[in-house]
Amino acid sequence: MKKDFTNELGIRFKIRYDELKWLYYELYHEDKQGFDYLCKLIKQYYTERDEALKKRDREREQDTYWYRGNDIVGMMLYVDNFAGNLNGVIRNIDYFTESGVNYLHLMPLLDSPEENSDGGYAVSDFRKVQPKLGTMEDLKKLTALCHERGINCCLDFVMNHTSDEHEWAKAARQGDPDARSHYFFYDSWETPDEYERTVPQVFPTTAPGNFTQLDSGEIVMTTFYPYQWDLNYSNPMVFNDMTANMLFLANAGIDVIRLDAVPYIWKQLGTSCRNLPQVHNIVRMMRIICEIVCPSVLLLGEVVMEPSKVAPYFGTEEKPECHILYNVTTMASIWNTFATRDVRLLRKQIDKVGELPPNCVFLNYLRCHDDIGWGLDYDFLRHFGMEEIPHKKFLNDYFTGRFKGSTARGELYNDDQISHDARLCGTAASLCGIEAALWDKDDQALGVAVDADIMLHAFMFTLSGIPVIYSGDEVGQLNDYWYHADIKKKFDSRYLHRGKFDRKLAKKRSDPESYQGRIFSTLKKLGEIRGKNRVFKQWAKITTFDTDSQNVLGFYRAYKEQAMMALFNFCEYERTVSFESEISYTDLATGKKHTTDTVTLKPYGFLWAMEKS
């Protein structure tokens, strides 16, 4: 019997209407006209939503926690670097299936200026794809094909600001009062100077402040770069218009909306303009609206803080906000552990994450498009003689190969010569020593570096949440130094790890004797093992334990009848872990059974040991 979905919107709306209205009225001083307009937008975008997407919504309404499972493996990529354009990605879609990937993060591809684009994060049109990458129809074609293959698509939604070439910004320059009200415009420095007293700079070494003076003499708020104008969310029409843009992307088949720089979106004099309560109201409303129009769509928040401080952006089980958040601090702690060979900080990090409720789903990654910032827990590290400024200098020296004995090859980003507060760039393979070993033609060193690369990825796959591989890392792609010769890129060292996908390199992935083949086949196998064993589910209990070695990290995962011990050797020497009595386990990577009271790990080795129930 055919189901009747004619009142689907009404049912969803009725359940959530009161809270949505209350939040909107509280934030926007009972603006009935604005709220009525928002309700019309909700109906409009539901009506326009493709029937195939509505079917997807209904299926996922029956399994609302599908993304908390253990069968998702992601990959993030730039469309042009991977395959030239969207049609190129379509032609190469088999590669994702072969890689075991079912979550595809397409880096910023919406229209942005040729100059001053910030890698696509200065959007000039939220409803148009960059012409060199294709069209919105191409994007819809790709997302539909991905859905047929069981692949979820993620896209960045830059909600804090627009490009200064967006139609709103252009109209604001011409004096349009409605357009101007979308931004923060001032005729003098009086109010901007008040903001500057309490608002820190995001990029103190490169930006002149949080405001930019235009040729007209007027001043506009620009938190990140002078060509990125901050949106004024205290104006209800900004929220309405940006929500409409978000729903437009959802209707293009995007499954995961990445909310860029979400802590920054509400500005208030006398505050840091970071993480204000109104931000949570906005994100909660966006979640409610998605649950009404497109309940299969997830919100991924980019919040760069430690997990305990990030957690509020998940909301609560009763009033959720973001579905997923980035695990930024753990990523930085992984690389700190790799350089120091000391697992104590990383162990503390795992313990903190393990204390959070299961609704806290993190996106885990080893590398991404951005730099690595050393926002570590220095209060904790200080107990072991690691003071912030000298330790940051050590990390930067180590990963740029300037520290004696280091085989890492990276470059610094936004280097501050006074505070040494630079960040780091480089591909995972180059940071692990693969590049140096190839340069030296040292096969033994290459084997150790490949083991290190695999071990770090295995650690990421062991964490609860969603593991995401940066495109190229699955075949050990190296740094791309050609960016130094490109006038548009040479001043941004992040392009070091944003090189074009090396297809000649990738062809070696089927050769088990090549380092590319070793990395590719192992990562794919780790994803398959992860998907087959329920112990990797989000609800698993995680407990670290003392291995009697500062170099070896150990922790247990337990879910129902399954229990697994994971061991990771973060140094270039063999390490042995002893137990009080014999343990029996199956090595998930090899399938071999063991009974022993010691486990010896090779340099940069790891073990997934499923214990007998």
Side-chain angles (χ1 to χ4, degrees), residues 585-612:
Y585 67 88
T586 299
D587 184 335
L588 290 179
T590 64
K592 294 181 179 179
K593 299 181 185 298
H594 301 270
T595 299
T596 182
D597 60 359
T598 62
V599 171
T600 299
L601 299 169
K602 68 179 181 179
Y604 297 113
F606 77 97
L607 172 67
W608 279 356
M610 185 70 79
E611 298 182 351
K612 288 184 178 179

Side-chain angles (χ1 to χ4, degrees), residues 440-485:
D440 293 337
K441 296 181 172 59
D442 187 331
D443 289 342
Q444 183 177 357
L446 177 61
V448 173
V450 170
D451 285 339
D453 187 293
I454 289 172
M455 183 273 292
L456 294 183
H457 277 96
F459 176 80
M460 177 188 72
F461 273 72
T462 316
L463 300 173
S464 294
I466 300 173
V468 175
I469 301 165
Y470 188 63
S471 174
D473 281 355
E474 77 282 5
V475 290
Q477 189 159 318
L478 306 179
N479 292 336
D480 179 11
Y481 296 99
W482 286 104
Y483 87 93
H484 287 289

Side-chain angles (χ1 to χ4, degrees), residues 95-360:
Y95 182 79
F96 306 124
T97 304
E98 183 189 347
S99 304
V101 167
N102 54 10
Y103 172 109
L104 185 61
H105 182 171
L106 303 166
M107 296 301 292
L109 51 73
L110 299 179
D111 204 20
S112 56
E114 282 291 324
E115 303 287 338
N116 298 330
S117 72
D118 187 26
Y121 287 96
V123 178
S124 54
D125 191 335
F126 289 94
R127 301 182 179 223
K128 181 182 176 184
V129 171
Q130 295 173 32
K132 66 179 182 180
L133 301 181
T135 66
M136 192 57 67
E137 290 306 310
D138 294 331
L139 179 60
K140 291 178 181 178
K141 184 179 176 182
L142 172 60
T143 58
L145 183 57
C146 283
H147 293 166
E148 290 177 12
R149 299 292 189 96
I151 299 173
N152 300 282
C153 294
C154 173
L155 186 67
D156 293 76
F157 181 54
V158 185
M159 62 184 300
N160 177 72
H161 49 259
T162 73
S163 161
D164 60 359
E165 294 188 24
H166 190 281
E167 63 177 0
W168 298 338
K170 289 179 178 179
R173 285 183 187 272
Q174 299 301 315
D176 184 311
D178 287 338
R180 287 168 66 90
S181 71
H182 276 60
Y183 303 100
F184 295 87
F185 266 84
Y186 301 99
D187 294 324
S188 75
W189 281 98
E190 182 178 353
T191 301
D193 284 343
E194 281 191 59
Y195 273 107
E196 296 287 22
R197 293 189 185 98
T198 58
V199 181
Q201 289 180 240
V202 176
F203 303 126
T205 60
T206 58
N210 292 290
F211 292 85
T212 297
Q213 189 160 25
L214 306 179
D215 292 340
S216 64
E218 295 171 306
I219 298 118
V220 65
M221 182 178 281
T222 55
T223 297
F224 290 91
Y225 291 104
Y227 53 82
Q228 292 171 328
W229 291 9
D230 287 46
L231 288 165
N232 181 3
Y233 277 88
S234 66
N235 176 357
M237 292 314 296
V238 169
F239 176 78
N240 290 351
D241 289 344
M242 290 301 287
T243 298
N245 285 330
M246 178 188 71
L247 294 176
F248 178 85
L249 296 175
N251 281 359
I254 301 302
D255 303 286
V256 182
I257 304 286
R258 178 188 179 273
L259 304 179
D260 182 65
V262 65
Y264 297 81
I265 61 176
W266 191 272
K267 313 299 193 295
Q268 185 173 313
L269 271 173
T271 73
S272 66
C273 296
R274 309 281 196 275
N275 305 301
L276 298 180
Q278 294 90 339
V279 173
H280 294 280
N281 283 17
I282 288 173
V283 177
R284 175 63 185 148
M285 285 195 291
M286 294 174 77
R287 173 74 176 254
I288 291 171
I289 291 165
C290 284
E291 288 175 350
I292 296 170
V293 178
C294 48
S296 65
V297 171
L298 306 180
L299 299 181
L300 165 62
E302 188 222 9
V303 184
V304 183
M305 295 184 294
E306 64 175 271
S308 61
K309 294 181 179 178
V310 163
Y313 284 90
F314 286 113
T316 64
E317 287 282 5
E318 296 76 26
K319 295 186 177 181
E321 295 176 25
C322 291
H323 298 79
I324 316 165
L325 293 173
Y326 280 94
N327 197 350
V328 179
T329 311
T330 297
M331 179 274 296
S333 297
I334 291 171
W335 290 107
N336 171 76
T337 304
F338 183 75
T340 62
R341 279 72 163 171
D342 188 329
V343 303
R344 288 175 290 190
L345 176 63
L346 191 54
R347 180 182 176 186
K348 180 174 183 276
Q349 192 80 31
I350 294 171
D351 287 336
K352 276 190 171 183
V353 175
E355 292 169 358
L356 296 174
N359 69 301
C360 297

Side-chain angles (χ1 to χ4, degrees), residues 423-439:
R423 283 96 77 102
L424 179 74
C425 300
T427 67
S430 290
L431 296 180
C432 284
I434 292 176
E435 179 181 324
L438 290 170
W439 179 265

